[in-house]
Amino acid sequence: MCENTKLLLVCVAIGLVSACITAWFLYQNKTEYWKVQAHRTFRQALEDELRKRNEKDIYFHSDGYVDASVAESNDREKRPITVSIESEHGIKKIVIPYERHIHNIERASYLRGLRSVMLNKYPLRADSLNLVWEGLLAKMGYPGKTAVRVSVTDWQEHETYTYSDDSFYVAKSDSLVSYYLGYRCEFGVTGYTYFPLWKVYSLMDILWLCILVVGCFCLPLIQNYVVRGCHRFFFNRTSMVAERKVSVVVTDKSGSCIYQLEDDLFFDTSLRELKNTNGRVILSPMSAKLLRGFLDAKDCRLSNDEIMELLWPDGTGTSEKVHTNIKRLREYLSQNTDWTIENERLAYQLKKGHFIEEKSELQGLTV
């Protein structure tokens, strides 16, 4: 697999991971916002349902009350509340758990007692409460589903439950909030919310996530333009690229010749010798053939396919073989020169390894 393909796959992977992380945080942020709105409107819906029952006429008489100072002390210490209720069966002491006591809609004991009498006569309906709740949320553009559970604890402290028609979502969702009513906190109302993933995101959110993935997909191209721009901006110079404008004269049938890369750097094709004042290096036949291919090519640039056709005309060449021979030629060049071969978008180019003020030309010297 070529380096550019590997880089492309890495960028795509980065884009997908970034999009998934962004989508997760976006989902958490949106669901948290809607939970706050659902919490507020759930209490409003419950109060609307209770307000309908305030218009009913009922008989209620109370002789006792819960001492407010005791209740506040229990709130601070998070202890249960104990109340005594007298009925035809006698006096019974009932312990109210702290969580139920603190989440009771009413604070005053006589109002709690009034709720007990009222809801026994006119009980809450889970479906009705859920419809009111959904109506309030619909005005705000709520994207999820809601469900309501109403529980009733009888005199023997046995609890029964009723659910709204959307109880299917209760198993998939978390309990949002629970409120309690009555003197014994015997009436419980719980709201549930469920946020389908495909409804939480708006079209604009999906568009931005797609742009993030596509942007990472285009990173190699962007990187290429940025590097070129930086070189043009920060360096008023160009790299020394071997450009042969003077034709090379072939001296015999074998086509051997000598290339002059610099004033004191020569490449003899017949001897496969690269020499200068620093010494001489004998190239392998394959490396010599590849170096001559670069020198004969326009701007000393060869694509992967051109290299495979040059070195393996029988079609046995592969990208791995190309990479191996490029690496070997680089090692030869580094022994006594500062020339190198750079990988440039599915192609290789022979270049001088440092920057100079003006371009130099490759000259051919006949034997």
Side-chain angles (χ1 to χ4, degrees), residues 26 37-38 51 54 73 171 197 258-259 264 285 292 325 331 340:
L26 187 61
Q37 303 305 316
R51 197 174 298 115
N54 290 342
S73 174
L197 186 64
I258 297 177
Y259 292 90
D264 63 342
R292 182 168 183 174
N325 281 271
E331 293 174 353
T340 187

Side-chain angles (χ1 to χ4, degrees), residues 62-67 81-87 90-96 109 113 155 183-184:
S62 174
D63 289 331
Y65 64 93
V66 177
D67 187 353
I81 298 293
T82 303
V83 297
S84 297
I85 299 180
E86 184 177 358
S87 69
I91 299 177
K92 183 176 182 179
K93 288 188 176 181
I94 299 175
V95 177
I96 303 174
S109 59
W155 187 255
Y183 191 73
R184 296 182 291 118

